[in-house]
Amino acid sequence: MTNNDRPVLLTQGLPAEKMFPKLSPAQIARVAVHGRLRAIKRGDLLFEVGEQVVPFFVITAGEVEIVRPSVTGETLIRLLQPGQFTGEVNLLSGRPPMVRARARESGELIELDRERLLALVQTDSELSEIIMRAFIFRRLELISQGLGDVVLIGSNHCSGTLRVKEFLTRNSHPYSYIDLDRDVDVQQMLDRFQVSLGEIPVLICRGDVVLRNPTSQQIASCLGFNQAIDERQVQDLVIVGAGPSGLAAAVYGASEGLDVLILESDVPGGQAGSSSRIENYLGFPLGISGQELTERARNQAQKFGARLVVANGARRLTCDQRLRTVEIETGARLSARAVIIATGAQYRKPVLENLSRFEGAGVYFAATFTEAQICAGEDVIVVGGGNSAGQAAVFLAQTAKRVHLLVRSEGLAKSMSRYLISRIEGNAGIALRTHTELTGLEGNGHLERVRWRTRPAENVETRDIRHVFFMTGADPSTRWLDGCVALDEKGFIKTGPDLLPEDLAAAHWPLGRPPHLLETSRPGVFAVGDVRAGSIKRVASAVGEGSIAIGFVHQVLNE
Ligand SMILES: Cc1cc2nc3c(=O)[nH]c(=O)nc-3n(C[C@H](O)[C@H](O)[C@H](O)COP(=O)(O)OP(=O)(O)OC[C@H]3O[C@@H](n4cnc5c(N)ncnc54)[C@H](O)[C@@H]3O)c2cc1C
């Protein structure tokens, strides 16, 4: 029935017994309490790729094969024996499966729907650990082997390709990539189908839908990333933004029984998700990539039942009613008893001619694994003197030929942590260029050369460097609020004791009590993390604020 009876999920590098564990009879009995028994016959289909509602199965007798269908047939991913179970991260997040499951031998299963699986992992810590670890390891293996249900055809010289790659990667969605710069045959095929340059990249979704230069919303919808939201249902809590602060609020809110919906305009993880290595977050002495940290947080929030909508952010908050209403990009209006604004900040774009022409084609605002691969073995420039620039320089120096770190000031001491300065000083692959400013970008399609000026001599140099990373600070993402909550002069949201009597008077603060610590000038609307005026711009403080806000949300809901 399958192309090849040798499973492709060989568990290289990851322990097989953790990825496909066998539950003990006592553990199976505990699962059975939550589910129902189901007899299966050889050949019975248990679930299909892309199905919206998929149960969790524990095999108690017989065998189940997990296969990946393709135009040429099926590839066997894994054969599951009694004691083993189906599922991976998608089951927790309510997204459709990327594989098909079918009974290879007749037998019996325990079947749990997603809600019962969530109830099980929230109440049984031993099973929770086994199941969560297996799901995460299976996802990592699918990613490492490119075994997703998506084929991306693009070029590393095209900004759209980088955007789509980042969207899939930061949503932890596995995909196969065909590089048009290397595969001439595919390029010719696209020419025959009259796919123009502006329609690159092409994404083949689930083997049948072909999307040309798709938006994030189109990809999310094709891959079923978002579950339908019922506009009539009033949510306990809507969290706007899925960076560290929003995800922390979701973990604490959902684990304490609140009905939580998180809205994310782009991809989960926020700024932290674009950090190559976070070394100062408590409990990770060796550091952790921002993508991994925030991916874990997302799984944790979804384990507790929080729902996440990606590529569909908030575009308006209505404050004139007791019930808070958040309007999202699709136009849907969601009502909530409390709202947490966790929209963080967006990278600042320097004023430089041609900048927008080269975004994603030589100009980048994040230094993750995806960008590092694109500029491996070449000279790169990092612009900025803060910690994010330092991290990017150290990270890129591992793969680039040479990193030029450009700062306008006389050095790094005033703006960067000591540990990063020492790493930069001790790294022969990084050239620190002080008093230096980037003044020009040139190229045809892709960035080919840059100009920089060094003060005080005003020397201008031209260099054939094809990759520039701007790490030059960020502005608060508060424009969408349109004056609905009080902001400080830089656009950050004022909360609690920072709100002056005139702010409250202007907002017609209706309550006898003053605003809670993280509450904005509107009752029941909170602000946490980088978007909040006076916040410390760190992952730990964002996580702390997101967690603390839940205590105040409970108080407001009981008011
Ligand atoms: C490259 C880099 C490296 C860093 N390294 C470190 C480090 O090593 N240690 C450290 O402590 N800190 C580090 N930081 C800072 C840290 O990442 C931030 O302080 C932290 O991410 C702030 O979290 P947040 O949730 O408040 O906001 P953000 O991380 O900014 O997340 C906000 C989220 O809200 C979303 N959003 C915005 N507007 C809307 C809307 N209208 N609707 C829906 N969603 C919206 C955004 O897309 C984003 O996902 C780094 C930052 C960068 C950029």
Side-chain angles (χ1 to χ4, degrees), residues 89-161:
V89 172
N90 270 3
L91 192 51
L92 282 184
S93 52
R95 291 179 178 179
M98 288 178 261
V99 292
R100 173 183 292 161
R102 189 173 43 223
R104 162 84 69 113
E105 294 300 337
S106 300
E108 192 185 55
L109 311 170
I110 304 170
E111 177 177 329
L112 273 72
D113 61 25
R114 179 169 168 266
E115 277 61 42
R116 285 175 190 271
L117 172 67
L118 290 178
L120 173 70
V121 294
Q122 284 162 26
T123 49
D124 191 318
S125 57
E126 189 195 19
L127 283 171
S128 168
E129 193 183 317
I130 296 170
I131 294 171
M132 285 288 288
R133 190 175 43 213
F135 281 9
I136 291 169
F137 280 8
R138 288 174 192 182
R139 173 55 65 98
L140 289 176
E141 196 67 5
L142 286 172
I143 292 174
S144 74
Q145 303 209 18
L147 284 177
D149 45 3
V150 168
V151 180
L152 176 65
I153 306 167
S155 155
N156 284 347
H157 302 298
C158 146
S159 59
T161 303

Side-chain angles (χ1 to χ4, degrees), residues 3-329:
N3 275 348
N4 180 345
D5 258 11
R6 221 172 124 244
V8 293
L9 219 54
L10 296 173
T11 71
Q12 286 159 345
L14 292 167
E17 70 284 4
K18 299 266 165 43
M19 199 188 302
F20 295 102
K22 269 199 175 155
L23 300 182
S24 69
Q27 289 164 339
I28 292 176
R30 297 214 298 280
V31 178
V33 173
H34 291 261
R36 67 177 186 94
L37 289 179
R38 170 170 165 186
I40 44 165
K41 288 195 310 296
R42 182 182 163 82
D44 278 356
L45 189 65
L46 302 180
F47 56 79
E48 182 56 282
V49 176
E51 246 171 41
Q52 284 301 329
V53 182
V54 171
F56 170 74
F57 295 109
V58 177
I59 295 100
T60 51
E63 269 182 352
V64 167
E65 57 187 2
I66 306 294
V67 297
R68 189 172 72 126
S70 69
V71 274
T72 53
E74 289 179 340
T75 307
L76 179 65
I77 300 265
R78 190 76 192 182
L79 208 52
L80 298 176
Q81 312 279 348
Q84 295 182 311
F85 51 85
T86 59
E88 59 96 47
V89 172
N90 270 3
L91 192 51
L92 282 184
S93 52
R95 291 179 178 179
M98 288 178 261
V99 292
R100 173 183 292 161
R102 189 173 43 223
R104 162 84 69 113
E105 294 300 337
S106 300
E108 192 185 55
L109 311 170
I110 304 170
E111 177 177 329
L112 273 72
D113 61 25
R114 179 169 168 266
E115 277 61 42
R116 285 175 190 271
L117 172 67
L118 290 178
L120 173 70
V121 294
Q122 284 162 26
T123 49
D124 191 318
S125 57
E126 189 195 19
L127 283 171
S128 168
E129 193 183 317
I130 296 170
I131 294 171
M132 285 288 288
R133 190 175 43 213
F135 281 9
I136 291 169
F137 280 8
R138 288 174 192 182
R139 173 55 65 98
L140 289 176
E141 196 67 5
L142 286 172
I143 292 174
S144 74
Q145 303 209 18
L147 284 177
D149 45 3
V150 168
V151 180
L152 176 65
I153 306 167
S155 155
N156 284 347
H157 302 298
C158 146
S159 59
T161 303
L162 180 66
R163 176 179 57 75
V164 174
K165 271 185 173 183
E166 288 207 334
F167 186 74
L168 293 169
T169 306
R170 287 189 54 187
N171 271 293
S172 304
H173 197 93
Y175 64 93
S176 316
Y177 178 58
I178 299 176
D179 187 349
L180 285 174
D181 305 321
R182 295 185 184 182
D183 200 324
V184 183
D185 295 342
V186 178
Q187 175 67 68
Q188 281 169 358
M189 181 195 79
L190 291 186
D191 292 345
R192 267 202 297 278
F193 282 96
Q194 292 174 342
V195 175
S196 69
L197 213 59
E199 293 174 319
I200 302 281
V202 171
L203 188 105
I204 303 173
C205 177
R206 301 243 154 80
D208 48 19
V209 182
V210 178
L211 300 172
R212 296 172 181 212
N213 194 10
T215 61
S216 300
Q217 283 90 339
Q218 287 172 318
I219 303 172
S221 134
C222 182
L223 293 173
F225 280 179
N226 296 328
Q227 293 170 276
I229 315 170
D230 183 355
E231 279 186 67
R232 290 162 307 176
Q233 191 193 340
V234 178
Q235 323 285 329
D236 286 337
L237 174 62
V238 165
I239 300 169
V240 187
S245 62
L247 290 170
V251 167
Y252 283 90
S255 68
E256 291 172 18
L258 298 180
D259 172 24
V260 174
L261 178 69
I262 324 167
L263 302 172
E264 169 55 53
S265 56
D266 190 13
V267 285
Q271 296 169 77
S274 68
S275 167
S276 46
R277 185 147 291 265
I278 297 173
E279 299 203 43
N280 54 359
Y281 189 62
L282 190 73
F284 293 90
L286 300 178
I288 179 165
S289 80
Q291 156 93 22
E292 193 182 344
L293 181 70
T294 52
E295 165 74 9
R296 287 180 187 203
R298 188 181 77 176
N299 288 333
Q300 204 174 1
Q302 290 183 321
K303 170 183 116 170
F304 287 121
R307 285 162 307 139
L308 171 69
V309 170
V310 298
N312 195 351
R315 67 175 186 201
R316 190 167 301 127
L317 177 66
T318 309
C319 297
D320 50 1
Q321 299 150 3
R322 179 152 176 75
L323 215 56
R324 292 95 206 159
T325 307
V326 181
E327 188 181 309
I328 56 177
E329 278 152 28

